[in-house]
Amino acid sequence: MVRGMRILHVAAELFPYVKVGGLADVMGALPQALRAEGADVRLLLPAYPALRDALGGVVSAGPLGPFAGVGEARLLLGRTAAGVPLYLLDLPSLFDRPGGPYDERGDSCLRFGALSWAAARLGRQGDAQGWRPQVVQAHDWQAGLAPAYLALEAGPRPATVMTIHNLAYQGRCPPSVLKPLGLPASAFHLHGLEFHGDLGFLKAGLVYADRLTTVSPTYAREIQTPEQGEGLEGLLAHRSGDLTGILNGVDPDLWHPSRSPHLPMHFASSRPSGKKVCKNHLQRELGLRESPAAPLFGIVSRFAVQKGLDLVLENVDHLVALGAQLAVLGSGDPALEAAFRAVAAQHPGSVGLRVGYDEGLSHRVIAGSDALLVPSRHEPCGLTQLYALAFGTLPVVRRTGGLADTVVDATSQAQAEGRATGFVFEDPNGWALGEALNRACGLYRDQPAAWTRLQRTAMAQDFSWRTSARQHMELYRALVHP
Ligand code: ADP
Ligand code: GLC
């Protein structure tokens, strides 16, 4: 095995410090799994105050020089709690501000242009102590210009990988930022940085990176079609030979029914009684009727069109009529927040809602529910259904992206073969979800032994980061030792 390959991961989120969605979970877990495979992995993120303050023991790792007329940039170096070396891009005028990672003051083009630029500088020159990556892996649009900066300048450079976590967010910026970002106007064309008249951060990464990855095999195929390609399907199909779908994993120290620090009681496949305690606790926590027999459906989600939650809203009356309950944790789109507030007010005791972001409650919803709803219109990978499987909570998902790759529908054949782990529906409409809900409620009520079998199969699934890390190592090897 090739050991010690130096890999730099560049991203805008990192669990447990700065999290909006699954990207943070991936950045919090994949580097450790890669280190276990022998890679010398480091991370680069902006010096958000939340991150800088949490690290401690941060040292200077060298000046980077002036950036875009907004100040002098420098690198700091610390370590995450898990021991992974982490560079922070210190550029106070862009990053020293309260709030989440995507604070919108109209300067996100500069902020994430700076992140990409810093990655390229570190990639080419190394840090003050002489560490220089052999591969730079850029995650999502915020890091998308890094492969472009590296490819557009002459001279030796590290290999580059562009990873798509979600093609729906592309980072489109006005062409006027090319100049402050120091990118050549000559590269602003269809086969370069330009996307429909804008500077496309993600598009640039997809053009200039040596290899492309995304977070599930099915999504890798879907994004080469007009339905899911978000206008980039032609480019992605053209680069099909360089594109790999590598499934995300589950961090077993966090998302495990006998290890999660957030549950009222632990449980396991062989000791299932704790799950009943978790269900009862969740019913009380969200003001639901304390009914052990009611099928309890959970949701933990960003409220965004992508997630298909409008299909759930269409089915709330139906669910309540079936005697089922709904436990919802999420935030985002104000219209969806208002709609969920309305159904919760309409069905007290049957629909429990917490609007907001709450790490502990996310574990308790996923552990305490009988089934988890993930009816996404598109889902590059999806992590909550993986967490649900680990907790013996059967996912109800639409057959798309990573959901299609990780949940096996409870057809009679799949049940007979002992492969079934959840309920899968095809069409993105309320009726199709309603059918899946009927099947789930029917199995839960009428065939408890079959339900238990599904739970056991679900809990026995192995979505480990090791598999994902090994696939990454193969990719790095091909790039570093072709
Ligand atoms: P996405 O990245 O598209 O939001 P994923 O399923 O990959 O979808 O990841 C979502 C992550 O965010 C999971 O770790 C999930 O538990 C978490 N999450 C989503 N909404 C909330 C919330 N309101 N409170 C706590 N955690 C949340
Ligand atoms: C994105 C996707 C989600 C994926 C996550 C981590 O946010 O929406 O499907 O699981 O990234 O890769």
Side-chain angles (χ1 to χ4, degrees):
M1 192 203 298
V2 178
R3 293 207 158 249
M5 280 187 294
R6 298 182 303 280
I7 318 291
L8 179 71
H9 285 264
V10 190
E13 298 183 32
L14 175 62
F15 182 85
Y17 311 101
V18 200
K19 171 164 166 176
V20 173
L23 173 63
D25 296 22
V26 174
M27 299 316 297
L30 175 61
Q32 276 171 272
L34 288 169
R35 277 156 60 94
E37 295 301 313
D40 176 4
V41 180
R42 299 190 177 194
L43 298 170
L44 169 66
L45 274 92
Y48 304 118
L51 195 51
R52 203 191 43 218
D53 298 347
L55 286 196
V58 171
V59 298
S60 169
L64 290 173
F67 176 78
V70 298
E72 290 286 325
R74 60 176 186 146
L75 285 178
L76 306 172
L77 178 61
R79 266 178 200 275
T80 67
V84 182
L86 164 62
Y87 292 102
L88 296 177
L89 167 58
D90 189 30
L91 192 47
S93 61
L94 293 182
F95 297 117
D96 201 2
R97 52 178 80 160
Y102 307 124
D103 162 77
E104 288 299 335
R105 296 194 192 171
D107 60 357
S108 46
C109 298
L110 279 188
R111 297 178 90 210
F112 297 112
L115 179 66
S116 300
W117 168 82
R121 294 298 292 264
L122 178 55
R124 210 179 273 281
Q125 300 168 1
D127 71 5
Q129 287 81 28
W131 191 89
R132 191 156 53 87
Q134 293 163 292
V135 179
V136 172
Q137 184 162 355
H139 295 267
D140 269 352
W141 76 263
Q142 294 86 0
L145 290 183
Y149 276 113
L150 282 165
L152 288 168
E153 217 179 283
R157 63 165 177 88
T160 52
V161 178
M162 181 74 230
T163 298
I164 306 165
H165 293 265
N166 198 335
L167 202 58
Y169 303 98
Q170 296 193 357
R172 287 174 65 163
C173 294
S176 56
V177 301
L178 274 175
K179 200 156 175 213
L181 293 183
L183 288 163
S186 58
F188 191 70
H189 54 72
L190 183 65
H191 302 294
L193 300 168
E194 192 222 325
F195 188 59
H196 296 288
D198 288 336
L199 165 60
F201 274 52
L202 182 59
K203 191 238 167 154
L206 298 178
V207 168
Y208 290 105
D210 299 315
R211 297 290 290 268
L212 316 177
T213 70
T214 187
V215 287
S216 71
T218 294
Y219 194 60
R221 286 192 298 276
E222 288 171 343
I223 55 179
Q224 298 178 48
T225 68
E227 292 74 35
Q228 302 253 24
E230 304 279 351
L232 288 166
E233 60 275 9
L235 170 57
L236 288 162
H238 174 70
R239 297 214 59 191
S240 178
D242 297 323
L243 169 65
T244 325
I246 304 179
L247 205 60
N248 289 330
V250 176
D251 187 337
D253 292 327
L254 280 175
W255 292 97
H256 195 282
S258 53
R259 285 193 282 275
S260 163
H262 303 294
L263 306 185
M265 189 168 170
H266 285 144
F267 57 96
S269 216
S270 53
R271 284 180 287 111
S273 58
K275 189 165 172 73
K276 294 197 178 82
V277 175
C278 289
K279 178 172 178 176
N280 179 266
H281 185 278
L282 177 63
Q283 286 173 324
R284 279 187 283 124
E285 187 169 6
L286 287 184
L288 295 165
R289 266 191 322 281
E290 289 180 51
S291 156
L296 174 49
F297 291 86
I299 291 177
V300 175
S301 185
R302 288 185 294 117
F303 284 176
V305 175
Q306 170 197 345
K307 299 294 179 182
L309 298 173
D310 49 319
L311 312 185
V312 176
L313 289 165
E314 281 182 46
N315 275 286
V316 170
D317 291 345
H318 178 59
L319 269 179
V320 173
L322 288 171
Q325 298 182 337
L326 198 56
V328 184
L329 168 64
S331 64
D333 180 354
L336 280 169
E337 289 187 6
F340 273 105
R341 282 207 170 91
V343 293
Q346 216 178 327
H347 300 288
S350 294
V351 178
L353 171 68
R354 178 79 55 83
V355 172
Y357 180 89
D358 186 331
E359 191 66 31
L361 183 56
S362 74
H363 282 240
R364 290 190 293 281
V365 170
I366 295 178
S369 299
D370 297 302
L372 189 82
L373 301 182
V374 194
S376 307
R377 292 200 158 72
H378 78 267
E379 196 60 76
C381 177
L383 294 172
T384 56
Q385 86 281 9
L386 300 182
Y387 302 154
L389 290 168
F391 285 119
T393 301
L394 304 184
V396 180
V397 305
R398 194 170 95 72
R399 197 185 303 283
T400 184
L403 301 173
D405 291 339
T406 56
V407 181
V408 179
D409 188 30
T411 57
S412 15
Q413 189 178 346
Q415 287 194 59
E417 293 168 359
R419 294 184 299 113
T421 56
F423 304 88
V424 184
F425 64 98
E426 302 283 340
D427 298 327
N429 62 52
W431 185 86
L433 171 60
E435 282 291 286
L437 295 174
N438 288 343
R439 288 199 288 134
C441 286
L443 199 77
Y444 182 84
R445 285 244 161 82
D446 306 333
Q447 296 176 261
W451 186 275
T452 304
R453 232 178 3 256
L454 259 69
Q455 285 183 302
R456 290 221 178 97
T457 310
M459 293 174 88
Q461 299 296 302
D462 177 19
F463 290 107
S464 81
W465 274 110
R466 188 195 290 169
T467 311
S468 174
R470 291 192 170 163
Q471 288 175 268
H472 278 89
M473 292 299 279
E474 222 171 276
L475 181 75
Y476 301 150
R477 263 194 295 272
L479 285 167
V480 173
H481 305 283

